[in-house]
Amino acid sequence: MSQQKFGVIGLAVMGENLALNVERNGFPISVYNRTRSKTDEFMKTRAVDKNVFAAYSLEEFVQSLERPRRILVMVQAGKAVDAVIEQLKPLLDQDDMIIDGGNSLYDDTERRTKELEATGLGFVGMGVSGGEEGALWGPSMMPGGTEASYRELEPILTKIAAQVDDGPCVTFIGPGGAGHYVKMVHNGIEYGDMQLIAEAYDLLKNTAGLTNEQLHEVFAEWNTTDELNSFLIEITADIFKKIDDQGTGKHLVDLVMDSAGQKGTGRWTVMSALELGVGIPTIIAAVNARIMSSYKDQRVAASKELPGPTGMYEGDTKAFVNMVRDALYCSKICSYAQGMALLGKASQEYNYNLNLGEMARIWKGGCIIRAGFLNKIKKAYDENPQLPNLLLAPEFKQTILDRQDAWRQVLIAANKFGIPVPAFSASLDYFDSYRRATLPQNLTQAQRDYFGAHTYERTDKSRGEFFHTEWTQEEKSTVGV
């Protein structure tokens, strides 16, 4: 048997689909799965008549690959990845490379890259977005780690990636954990997008009284606009059409439990932002909203004890729908601005040397947050690579200035009728905080100096000069502060 050009370990759906994508694009593959029956099933079904070699031991798998060996590991993030790496290491030769295509924590990828490079092996930590369909037909991929290994993989990755007007949706992200870091923040932005859409839905359904048929029409129309055209808006429109296939005759969305799960990448994004001192309130609100949704039983009980305002929006429904659209777009801009600001700070802190315009470009196809307005983000960073915040890009700045009144009116309506809109609110708070020359934290810092002698800077002195004041002659207790 001639040796295969690419190997895949792990035949869950994502692993299978990526393997088939590679083979379809002209690269013979070897596959291995710890459970033999899974390999057998794959070979009898999806791999029939394809250039796939099934290995039943890691030794056989490694020996079937041409050198330098290219091995994609698609197993559960964490200890399972480390276990596979340890099993592979004694079987590999110098310059062979391991690719971790799961949602690994970037810190783990940093560690693995250093450890494997020290042994002469290459390691690529590669975020993959697009779900099952993307993996099969063209995902967005975010590879980081050993650059020489990426260059060896580049002919394959550029073929299997989603293709858009300005190239394949893959590029070398940066050293160490850069690829998985960018994928993590991508997922954080995804959390924000999904929560903002959910809040728009809640407002249109429970304040404006739109039916599922009307909601389908609204979201389908929004998906034709330059501002909101996106995968998530598209699938949202589809969801409102689906009738339950279990005979209830109801729309399936109304039967789905209002308790959303999460796999951890949103939480990791929040933790990293806090560590780096970057404000991402929309993404934090989205993570918190999923946590609140998990309190289903408590919320049902509380709904009987804690009444809120009632009533429906009584103005022009079409005008309200348009205001919600504007609020959604403005909030979306703020969510992406926060995510890109986090990437910019991480790039500086970890020496990733990220090209933010290129990050927007590779998200244009294949991935969950693919959207038409990513072209505008790419343009903003192409025109000004040092742009401190997307809110200052001319087009986004003008968009929000033109629509902020509608945005504020939507929040007024939400508060009036008791509809929680944490991500809409966090986005507007972010905008209002960023645009203000002065914030009330002068009082916060004065309090800190009062009870803890933490010092403060003065507005009438040079930045970097610090002062401390005895605020009163009386001794004040700080117990409980």
Side-chain angles (χ1 to χ4, degrees):
M1 184 196 80
S2 61
Q3 290 186 305
Q4 307 294 82
K5 291 187 177 296
F6 195 83
V8 177
I9 295 176
L11 291 175
V13 175
M14 286 292 287
E16 282 191 3
N17 284 1
L18 283 167
L20 293 172
N21 188 349
V22 171
E23 192 277 338
R24 187 181 66 251
N25 279 283
F27 303 98
I29 63 169
S30 292
V31 298
Y32 170 78
N33 195 81
R34 185 178 62 175
T35 305
R36 183 187 180 103
S37 60
K38 182 64 178 171
T39 306
D40 289 338
E41 178 69 16
F42 178 63
M43 296 304 294
K44 290 176 184 176
T45 54
R46 304 185 74 193
V48 171
D49 296 327
K50 294 180 170 57
N51 197 338
V52 180
F53 173 75
Y56 292 96
S57 71
L58 281 177
E59 291 80 3
E60 183 185 23
F61 172 79
V62 169
Q63 290 168 10
S64 72
L65 297 171
E66 71 173 24
R67 294 188 59 194
R69 300 178 179 96
R70 308 165 183 90
I71 299 172
L72 174 64
V73 177
M74 295 296 296
V75 300
Q76 187 174 3
K79 293 180 180 179
V81 176
D82 286 324
V84 171
I85 290 172
E86 287 305 309
Q87 291 167 346
L88 281 172
K89 278 166 59 176
L91 305 176
L92 300 180
D93 296 300
Q94 186 160 337
D95 297 328
D96 288 349
M97 63 204 75
I98 299 171
I99 310 117
D100 174 13
N103 270 335
S104 289
L105 182 62
Y106 68 97
D107 282 343
D108 288 340
T109 305
E110 293 275 356
R111 169 178 55 80
R112 291 166 184 151
T113 303
K114 291 176 183 176
E115 290 175 354
L116 288 171
E117 286 181 345
T119 69
L121 299 174
F123 187 72
V124 172
M126 184 172 73
V128 179
S129 179
E132 297 172 11
E133 287 298 304
L136 182 61
W137 299 109
S140 172
M141 292 178 288
M142 292 148 262
T146 307
E147 185 170 6
S149 294
Y150 171 75
R151 297 304 169 197
E152 283 283 341
L153 292 164
E154 195 170 19
I156 298 175
L157 298 182
T158 53
K159 281 282 189 72
I160 71 171
Q163 307 293 318
V164 293
D165 56 355
D166 49 5
C169 293
V170 63
T171 191
F172 180 66
I173 302 298
H180 277 135
Y181 192 94
V182 169
K183 175 57 163 57
M184 177 190 76
V185 175
H186 162 285
N187 284 22
I189 294 171
E190 179 184 311
Y191 273 59
D193 253 2
M194 294 175 72
Q195 179 61 25
L196 290 168
I197 292 169
E199 291 175 17
Y201 154 65
D202 199 3
L203 284 162
L204 295 176
K205 176 182 180 180
N206 294 308
T207 296
L210 269 61
T211 64
N212 287 321
E213 290 82 2
Q214 291 170 319
L215 286 164
H216 163 72
E217 292 173 4
V218 166
F219 278 87
E221 193 276 325
W222 285 357
N223 196 47
T224 66
T225 66
D226 287 340
E227 295 91 345
L228 294 177
N229 168 250
S230 66
F231 173 72
L232 285 170
I233 293 290
E234 176 187 345
I235 67 170
T236 301
D238 289 344
I239 285 168
F240 291 123
K241 290 192 303 183
K242 180 67 176 176
I243 302 298
D244 179 29
D245 59 10
Q246 295 191 18
T248 66
K250 296 180 180 180
H251 285 88
L252 183 57
V253 68
D254 295 328
L255 298 173
V256 175
M257 182 69 69
D258 56 322
S259 181
Q262 53 183 314
K263 290 189 174 180
T265 46
R267 176 172 55 84
W268 292 348
T269 306
V270 170
M271 292 167 63
S272 178
L274 292 174
E275 289 169 358
L276 292 175
V278 179
I280 57 165
T282 306
I283 297 170
I284 291 174
V287 173
N288 191 60
R290 294 198 190 188
I291 294 170
M292 291 297 294
S293 78
S294 71
Y295 301 160
K296 177 63 176 178
D297 293 341
Q298 291 186 46
R299 289 188 290 109
V300 169
S303 69
K304 301 169 184 176
E305 304 288 337
L306 303 171
T310 58
M312 301 287 283
Y313 185 80
E314 296 180 353
D316 184 328
T317 300
K318 184 171 178 55
F320 185 72
V321 169
N322 289 338
M323 286 194 295
V324 172
R325 177 201 63 207
D326 288 347
L328 175 58
Y329 186 48
C330 290
S331 298
K332 183 183 178 83
I333 292 170
C334 287
S335 183
Y336 278 73
Q338 294 161 35
M340 300 309 278
L342 178 55
L343 287 179
K345 183 62 178 291
S347 182
Q348 295 172 9
E349 190 75 14
Y350 304 135
N351 297 312
Y352 288 157
N353 195 30
L354 299 180
N355 181 329
L356 297 184
E358 187 70 353
M359 299 306 98
R361 188 194 68 77
I362 66 170
W363 292 343
K364 286 167 55 178
C367 71
I368 303 302
I369 64 170
R370 61 185 183 265
F373 104 128
L374 284 162
N375 280 312
K376 299 179 181 180
I377 295 179
K378 181 180 185 301
K379 180 183 176 185
Y381 284 111
D382 286 349
E383 291 177 349
N384 182 5
Q386 305 306 316
L387 185 69
N389 193 290
L390 274 181
L391 296 179
L392 299 177
E395 180 169 341
F396 293 128
K397 175 180 74 174
Q398 197 57 48
T399 293
I400 289 185
L401 293 178
D402 291 343
R403 305 183 189 204
Q404 66 171 308
D405 185 60
W407 194 8
R408 297 179 193 281
Q409 289 300 317
V410 166
L411 264 70
I412 290 170
N415 289 329
K416 178 180 179 181
F417 297 114
I419 303 294
V421 284
F424 272 19
S425 299
S427 295
L428 183 56
D429 288 344
Y430 180 78
F431 171 70
D432 281 336
S433 294
Y434 193 74
R435 70 174 182 80
R436 287 188 64 187
T438 58
L439 291 170
Q441 273 62 51
N442 58 317
L443 177 59
T444 304
Q445 194 61 22
Q447 292 170 330
R448 295 183 74 241
D449 189 56
Y450 189 123
F451 66 68
H454 293 293
T455 74
Y456 57 90
E457 295 174 277
R458 292 176 60 104
T459 59
D460 58 351
K461 303 288 185 182
S462 299
R463 292 298 303 269
E465 277 192 80
F466 291 89
F467 301 85
H468 168 62
T469 296
E470 295 296 331
W471 292 85
T472 178
Q473 298 304 313
E474 299 175 23
E475 223 177 278
K476 297 288 184 181
S477 171
T478 58
V479 174
V481 176

